[in-house]
Amino acid sequence: MVSVGSEPVMPTALKILVAGGFGVGKTTLVGSVSEVPPLETEEHMTEASLGIDDLSGVEGKSSTTVAMDFGRITIAPELVLYLFGTPGQDRFWFMWDDLATGALAAVVLADTRRLDASFASVDFFEAREIPFAVGVNCFDGRRDCTPEEVRAALDLDPSTPVVLCDVRDRADSKALLLTVLETARARAAARLTSLTGP
C-alpha cells in the first residue's frame, strides 16, 4: 500500500503476458525488469527434446521454460505490473489459455531470424482480442529489419505497435512495457467511445 497525501492507496495490479517463439528472450525480458527475484521454470534440455524443439537460430540454447516465468515491476506508486512469461514450445501451448485469463495486454517477442515463430502468438492474441505490442529483440545490437518490414511480414493491424529493443536492457524492456500499456489504454478508450458515442 502506498500513501498519496494522507490517504493510503492500494496500487492497481495489472497482468501482462510475455509470449513468443522458442528462444526469443521471454525469460530474459522478465528478468531484466523484475524488481523481485523472478520465478523461472527453466529446465535443462535433454536428448528427449531432439527432433521436437527446433534449435535453428538458437543452437547454443541449453535450457527452456517448462511452465512460466513470473516477475513484478512497479511503474508508478499506484501501478504494478505482474509479468507472466509463456513457454514457447508447441507442446506447452495448452497452458496459454490459463495464463491469459485476466491479462490486460501482452508482449509478443519476435526474432527476425525466425519471424515465423511469432505467428502463433500473434494469432492467439488477435483471436482473443487481447491488445499486444510486438517487441523485435535485436540480438547483439543487430537491427536487420525496420518496424514497417516486421509489421508487413507478420501482417499486423496498423494499430499494433512494433518496437525494436534489446530485452537484456532494462530501459528497453521497460519502454516496451509502457508501449503495451498505452496500447491497452487506447483500445479501452476506443471501446468506451464506441459504446457511449463521441
Side-chain angles (χ1 to χ4, degrees):
M1 194 169 345
V2 295
S3 180
V4 177
S6 60
E7 304 249 348
V9 176
M10 289 295 292
T12 298
L14 302 175
K15 180 179 183 179
I16 305 291
L17 292 187
V18 180
F22 176 62
V24 78
K26 299 176 295 292
T27 300
T28 302
L29 184 150
V30 172
S32 76
V33 295
S34 183
E35 62 200 16
V36 298
L39 168 69
E40 298 175 354
T41 58
E42 290 281 301
E43 292 294 334
H44 288 289
M45 296 175 67
T46 66
E47 289 183 12
S49 72
L50 293 175
I52 297 172
D53 295 327
D54 181 6
L55 294 176
S56 302
V58 287
E59 290 83 2
K61 189 166 175 59
S62 61
S63 63
T64 187
T65 299
V66 296
M68 68 173 188
D69 299 312
F70 173 78
R72 184 187 77 206
I73 178 172
T74 301
I75 298 295
E78 68 283 356
L79 180 61
V80 176
L81 300 185
Y82 290 97
L83 308 175
F84 290 79
T86 65
Q89 302 95 314
D90 299 3
R91 67 183 183 277
F92 295 123
W93 283 352
F94 68 92
M95 300 174 63
W96 282 37
D97 278 321
D98 287 339
L99 287 173
T101 300
L104 173 76
V107 170
V108 174
L109 285 181
D111 178 349
T112 56
R113 300 169 298 181
R114 301 174 292 124
L115 269 181
D116 59 327
S118 302
F119 291 148
S121 300
V122 168
D123 290 346
F124 181 89
F125 297 118
E126 285 180 343
R128 287 156 184 81
E129 298 185 348
I130 296 173
F132 66 96
V134 173
V136 181
N137 197 2
C138 299
F139 294 90
D140 301 318
R142 293 180 54 190
R143 298 187 179 231
D144 298 330
C145 298
T146 65
E148 294 73 25
E149 290 170 328
V150 172
R151 176 183 311 288
L154 293 177
D155 192 26
L156 297 172
D157 185 274
S159 66
T160 302
V162 177
V163 178
L164 300 178
C165 59
D166 181 342
V167 298
R168 296 170 298 183
D169 182 83
R170 179 179 172 84
D172 272 15
S173 294
K174 189 172 179 181
L176 178 57
L177 292 171
L178 290 173
T179 299
V180 169
L181 285 177
E182 176 55 29
T183 301
R185 187 208 60 76
R187 173 84 65 91
R191 284 186 176 166
L192 184 60
T193 299
S194 71
L195 292 173
T196 61

